[in-house]
Amino acid sequence: MIEFSNVTFKYNVTLSDGEKEDIYGIRDLNFSIGKGEFVVLTGGSGCGKTIFIRLINGLIPHFYSGELFGEITLNGKSIRDMSIFEISSKVGSVFQNPRSQFFNVNTTDEMAFAAENQRRDPEEIKKRIKDTAVSMKIEKLLDRNIFELSGGEKQLVACAGIGVLSPEIIVLDEPSSNLDHHAINRLSEILSVWKSEGKTIIIAEHRLFYLRNLADRMIVMENGSVSNEFKCEDLKRLSHEDTVKLGIRTLSLDSVSYDCKPGIGRSSNLIFRDFKFTYKNNRHSIDIPKLDVPEGCVTAIIGHNGAGKSTFARNICGLEKRCKGYIEYLDKRLGYKDRLHNCYMIMQDVNHQLFTESVEDEVMLSMTGGDMSEDDKRERVREILDKLDLSKYYETHPMALSGGQKQRVAIASGIASEKPIIVFDEPTSGLDLFHMEQVADAIKDLIRIGKNVFVITHDYEFILKCCDHIIHLENGRVKDSFNLDDGSICKIKEFMCEMSEVS
Amino acid sequence: MEIGLQSAQSRDIFHLDPRTKLAILITVGIIMMSGKYTGVEYVLRLICVAVPFVLLISIRLFRSAFIYVLLMYSTVLCEGFIIPNTKGMVNLMIMIICGVISRFGPGYLCGWYVVKSTSVSEFITAMERMHFPNIITIPMSVMFRYFPTLKEDYSSIHDAMKMREIGKKIKNPFTYIEYILVPIMMSTVRIANDLSAASLSKGLGVNRTRTHICKIGLGFIDYVLIISMVVMLVTFYVF
């Protein structure tokens, strides 16, 4: 059905120092995918899996520029000879970022959009929207404003749009990177329905655990070519150790190991009092009368979408004036204004918090030591940057860096600001194994220099890598708060694994 | 306040065709901006003042509708009683404020109603019916779609600046504006790129017509309204 013969794709990038370089996105690839197959593509960032996806949905060569050699055919017809419109009737796509894949603001209109473009009969489209909504159990999401939905709900709407169009081939590019475990479950249910309908499905993904029972084949890519290929049976036999060796995320959350690290944290506690906050629309509110968190450790904040995790994080940082709560920390009482001085958040989209023209200036901007001389400051900045593996980029514009590097620049600013509490909002969404471990290491270093770290996360592997304490939120209240050790690990497992591995 | 083209038609009391909305917007705009306070024109102005109220009620924005009515009444009362009885600076101030509210208010609210009550796909459909080329319609609809995204971006950039206490450190207003604009532009470029890719892969193209699930068509109310708008405009210019 889909044939790649001797495909090479080369494109031009501007490096951070302004020079241009040719990069091979795909190198001499021969590959074929049969009708009804479910293929999982994985591998580190930049391994070429996104390009693979774009070659199938025609965005390469029709939208993204670069040099394409070799031949790709859909049902025997070369994608070069097909217009993107023709391809779009056969291939449906779900993209990584739920924020930027919708043309319409109204959900029903969006579900109809692709089918309308194909000039399908309006009555039939309406009927299909109804049927799809019923079969995906998303009647509640019909006729809503897209900006009111969570990331998970947006991805469901994107899938519903494909359900309405019902193409033969469906490609998905990291659809789960912004989703919690509940939403991933829904996604995997939808995928299994599509599979049973005989659709050909190609999915590029880092988080693999939800695909273990669905995949017919898994391709591990490296530098634009296939480095490993696993059939359905072999795939299920891969242990956690095997996947670590391959450099990919685990296939089974159950098998992730945890090495207990006793003795972390200090005896004193951070005490949260009266954290009550409600938004005007009454959603995502929190109500936390009292909460003790051991000082000097990494605290993970877990819970479903809408449980109030982000609200809690915003309140920790003092971003909501109306919150009357305070933190008792080292015999001080931190109200919202003090928390603005004492807390620093690494946002999910770090692009929103980088302002200056060079990495060095960026970190300088956060330096507080008023009595230090300019040179001392500069020296301190370089020291921080060196530790975070950014010594090559002092003069680089922050926006020219890769996602992970930007994140580390933001961390560097946090360290430079000397604030004792650092909050991360989903730092590992969309990260491969290597980068996830890198973030985990950076966070452990923060603890070593005496910071308190809070992390909102849905990433089980990441929690086991670096977290010491867990706060489980549900409906804005603390459902559970415990130290992570061999005994309590089952509680998180219960929350995260069992939900996702039912399929 | 939400911005951007959106709709939840099912909850509306009555729903107008985008073309009718356009006719209303133009008529109310012209009459309110240039009408005099005497004779027939005064009667036309009174009618126009009532239009946004009805429109806002029709999309269940009761609070805004009543605030609007209160504001307009107090303006009219000011114009009738306070302006003739004051002198000098105070008189001038009140006159300017009242003038601005009564001349721009109804037109502005009609515009707000159009944006609030029209969905992206209705907008595209109506533009197609009026034979506007897609090359104008599609970028315009993407623009409307972009406003709420811009709002989200702006608020998180604002948070980041607050957290880094940039307002205190940077005194130069131009640098401050630059710090807001650079991240916004970067994210605009990225989102615009992703959005184009997504729309293309869903088969949107400039040279093709599409089908529509949204019902667009001139109903009884639409004809009545359009005819009365035309009558009003004609009266306005003849007398």
Side-chain angles (χ1 to χ4, degrees):
Chain A
M1 167 154 249
I2 305 167
E3 294 282 343
F4 282 68
S5 45
N6 303 319
V7 175
T8 297
F9 179 73
K10 204 164 74 169
Y11 62 101
N12 216 293
V13 288
T14 311
L15 297 177
S16 44
D17 52 11
E19 302 221 345
K20 291 201 170 178
E21 193 187 40
D22 273 351
I23 286 197
Y24 283 89
I26 296 271
R27 222 186 268 264
D28 209 24
L29 191 74
N30 286 294
F31 200 75
S32 80
I33 298 170
K35 189 171 165 44
E37 240 190 313
F38 192 119
V39 181
V40 177
L41 299 167
T42 190
S45 304
C47 69
K49 54 188 190 310
T50 296
I51 292 176
F52 195 111
I53 293 285
R54 286 175 181 166
L55 284 166
I56 298 172
N57 64 19
L59 287 174
I60 296 174
H62 296 294
F63 182 71
Y64 294 101
S65 53
E67 283 177 82
L68 178 63
F69 307 95
E71 201 66 69
I72 302 147
T73 57
L74 297 182
N75 293 331
K77 204 170 169 192
S78 164
I79 59 156
R80 275 185 229 257
D81 305 333
M82 294 163 89
S83 68
I84 193 152
F85 174 71
E86 201 181 341
I87 299 171
S88 71
S89 68
K90 298 195 171 64
V91 185
S93 316
V94 177
F95 297 88
Q96 176 181 7
N97 186 349
R99 279 186 75 205
S100 57
Q101 57 176 315
F102 296 118
F103 186 80
N104 293 276
V105 178
N106 179 285
T107 49
T108 308
D109 289 347
E110 182 59 36
M111 290 176 201
F113 185 66
E116 286 177 337
N117 287 330
Q118 298 297 337
R119 300 200 51 75
R120 301 265 174 85
D121 173 47
E123 288 311 313
E124 191 202 316
I125 298 177
K126 277 189 203 161
K127 191 176 165 295
R128 285 206 60 96
I129 290 177
K130 232 181 230 155
D131 295 346
T132 312
V134 170
S135 73
M136 284 167 82
K137 299 184 207 105
I138 54 164
E139 294 99 322
K140 267 198 293 183
L141 298 183
L142 288 176
D143 205 14
R144 294 266 299 273
N145 180 343
I146 289 221
F147 288 91
E148 290 165 4
L149 306 185
S150 71
E153 290 170 330
K154 285 181 192 166
Q155 281 311 37
L156 289 178
V157 171
C159 291
I162 292 193
V164 172
L165 181 71
S166 193
E168 303 159 64
I169 302 167
I170 297 165
V171 296
L172 305 98
D173 188 7
E174 297 184 33
S176 80
S177 50
N178 291 297
L179 306 189
D180 69 357
H181 284 253
H182 182 65
I184 289 182
N185 270 349
R186 301 290 303 274
L187 179 65
S188 96
E189 281 166 21
I190 291 167
L191 289 172
S192 80
V193 171
W194 283 343
K195 189 181 171 182
S196 68
E197 286 170 358
K199 309 267 184 224
T200 309
I201 300 167
I202 299 113
I203 177 166
E205 188 59 282
H206 289 304
R207 294 163 92 183
L208 301 169
F209 60 88
Y210 74 102
L211 299 169
R212 192 166 75 123
N213 295 323
L214 290 167
D216 294 320
R217 219 169 5 143
M218 184 174 84
I219 313 294
V220 185
M221 292 183 74
E222 207 179 299
N223 291 328
S225 31
V226 174
S227 65
N228 265 299
E229 197 174 329
F230 298 94
K231 293 243 161 52
C232 177
E233 319 76 73
D234 306 333
L235 184 70
K236 285 184 183 141
R237 252 177 264 134
L238 286 177
S239 68
H240 179 60
E241 286 70 35
D242 295 331
T243 50
V244 169
K245 251 179 241 152
L246 287 163
I248 58 176
R249 293 291 199 107
T250 192
L251 278 156
S252 146
L253 294 184
D254 248 340
S255 67
V256 182
S257 56
Y258 173 69
D259 351 299
C260 192
K261 309 156 282 188
I264 34 89
R266 273 156 260 163
S267 49
S268 54
N269 277 346
L270 286 165
I271 304 169
F272 292 79
R273 279 184 201 278
D274 291 331
F275 271 67
K276 285 187 187 134
F277 183 79
T278 319
Y279 283 110
K280 277 185 192 138
N281 58 9
N282 275 329
R283 298 169 68 204
H284 312 309
S285 30
I286 52 164
D287 179 5
I288 299 169
K290 181 171 185 285
L291 176 68
D292 288 2
V293 176
E295 197 203 313
C297 69
V298 185
T299 305
I301 303 171
I302 62 172
H304 294 301
N305 279 340
K309 301 187 298 294
S310 299
T311 315
F312 187 41
R314 288 177 60 80
N315 280 306
I316 293 178
C317 293
L319 286 170
E320 301 293 353
K321 280 187 200 168
R322 288 187 289 119
C323 175
K324 296 279 177 285
Y326 56 92
I327 303 177
E328 286 171 23
Y329 170 62
L330 300 177
D331 303 326
K332 276 179 292 186
R333 183 183 151 134
L334 307 176
Y336 89 89
K337 269 190 185 156
D338 309 307
R339 293 203 298 279
L340 264 180
H341 289 299
N342 285 292
C343 304
Y344 186 83
M345 176 151 49
I346 316 290
M347 299 170 147
Q348 199 176 359
D349 191 346
V350 277
N351 292 304
H352 289 151
Q353 56 185 161
L354 303 175
F355 301 107
T356 60
E357 282 163 19
S358 78
V359 169
E360 201 173 14
D361 287 349
E362 192 64 46
V363 184
M364 283 287 275
L365 189 64
S366 288
M367 290 294 282
T368 41
D371 45 347
M372 277 161 93
S373 74
E374 195 74 358
D375 285 338
D376 285 348
K377 277 188 183 174
R378 209 158 278 273
E379 197 171 309
R380 169 92 181 110
V381 167
R382 298 206 164 191
E383 196 182 306
I384 294 169
L385 286 174
D386 291 347
K387 265 199 196 130
L388 286 164
D389 204 16
L390 289 163
S391 32
K392 267 192 265 168
Y393 305 104
Y394 293 149
E395 303 297 330
T396 312
H397 197 292
M399 293 297 171
L401 300 172
S402 75
Q405 289 165 339
K406 282 183 201 167
Q407 198 179 37
R408 293 208 298 281
V409 174
I411 296 176
S413 318
I415 296 175
S417 69
E418 312 258 317
K419 295 181 177 182
I421 298 172
I422 298 187
V423 181
F424 286 80
D425 190 357
E426 296 190 35
T428 61
S429 73
L431 294 191
D432 61 8
L433 184 70
F434 174 75
H435 288 96
M436 185 271 280
E437 286 178 342
Q438 202 176 29
V439 175
D441 289 340
I443 286 177
K444 279 191 244 167
D445 284 339
L446 288 177
I447 293 303
R448 240 163 262 145
I449 57 173
K451 308 278 181 196
N452 297 285
V453 179
F454 290 85
V455 193
I456 298 179
T457 186
H458 299 300
D459 191 333
Y460 180 68
E461 288 169 81
F462 173 73
I463 291 178
L464 295 201
K465 271 259 140 36
C466 72
C467 296
D468 310 308
H469 188 84
I470 309 287
I471 298 172
H472 183 167
L473 291 183
E474 202 170 276
N475 296 327
R477 289 163 202 274
V478 177
K479 191 187 174 201
D480 211 346
S481 166
F482 52 89
N483 281 325
L484 188 62
D485 54 41
D486 283 329
S488 62
I489 206 163
C490 57
K491 290 197 206 169
I492 325 173
K493 220 178 228 174
E494 210 174 297
F495 175 65
M496 289 191 162
C497 307
E498 309 219 331
M499 287 175 47
S500 358
E501 288 186 2
V502 278
S503 54
Chain B
M1 186 177 97
E2 298 283 347
I3 22 177
L5 290 177
Q6 47 208 280
S7 85
Q9 296 179 22
S10 45
R11 290 191 290 274
D12 296 354
I13 296 173
F14 62 81
H15 198 79
L16 300 178
D17 186 274
R19 286 163 285 182
T20 316
K21 292 176 189 168
L22 201 64
I24 294 175
L25 187 61
I26 292 171
T27 313
V28 171
I30 290 178
I31 293 179
M32 291 313 291
M33 296 278 249
S34 52
K36 289 198 234 32
Y37 296 96
T38 49
V40 186
E41 294 195 6
Y42 188 66
V43 178
L44 287 177
R45 280 178 72 88
L46 283 183
I47 299 173
C48 284
V49 166
V51 169
F53 175 74
V54 178
L55 294 179
L56 290 176
I57 292 285
S58 84
I59 52 170
R60 293 186 184 274
L61 291 174
F62 298 114
R63 222 169 73 110
S64 316
F66 283 106
I67 291 175
Y68 165 76
V69 161
L70 272 180
L71 193 69
M72 288 316 282
Y73 261 114
S74 37
T75 316
V76 171
L77 287 178
C78 274
E79 282 173 339
F81 295 100
I82 299 181
I83 294 179
N85 296 324
T86 48
K87 285 196 189 76
M89 214 33 207
V90 184
N91 179 281
L92 192 70
M93 290 276 288
I94 296 177
M95 217 162 83
I96 290 174
I97 294 172
C98 289
V100 167
I101 294 178
S102 71
R103 284 189 186 268
F104 291 96
Y108 173 80
L109 274 146
C110 283
W112 189 47
Y113 161 80
V114 172
V115 170
K116 280 289 277 188
S117 65
T118 316
S119 73
V120 176
S121 69
E122 271 182 316
F123 173 76
I124 296 178
T125 314
M127 293 292 268
E128 260 175 27
R129 294 269 171 91
M130 290 189 286
H131 301 287
F132 267 90
N134 272 348
I135 220 157
I136 297 174
T137 313
I138 291 174
M140 269 180 81
S141 54
V142 172
M143 198 177 77
F144 284 119
R145 151 77 176 71
Y146 181 67
F147 286 131
T149 317
L150 190 70
K151 202 175 103 188
E152 282 182 355
D153 279 353
Y154 174 74
S155 79
S156 72
I157 289 167
H158 183 75
D159 283 346
M161 295 182 86
K162 229 160 97 180
M163 220 157 17
R164 294 182 67 177
E165 295 165 274
I166 283 176
K168 279 185 204 157
K169 287 176 201 157
I170 303 293
K171 297 289 176 229
N172 183 345
F174 289 106
T175 320
Y176 191 80
I177 292 170
E178 181 196 322
Y179 282 4
I180 293 179
L181 282 184
V182 169
I184 282 193
M185 282 185 194
M186 295 306 289
S187 101
T188 305
V189 169
R190 212 176 43 248
I191 287 178
N193 212 11
D194 288 359
L195 201 60
S196 321
S199 310
L200 276 175
S201 74
K202 286 175 186 164
L204 183 70
V206 172
N207 304 318
R208 275 180 301 273
T209 52
R210 357 176 10 249
T211 51
H212 309 280
I213 57 159
C214 62
K215 274 213 188 81
I216 277 216
L218 299 170
F220 178 67
I221 301 182
D222 293 294
Y223 282 116
V224 171
L225 282 172
I226 290 180
I227 291 169
S228 36
M229 288 302 140
V230 172
V231 170
M232 275 165 73
L233 270 184
V234 170
T235 328
F236 181 73
Y237 279 110
V238 170
F239 292 97

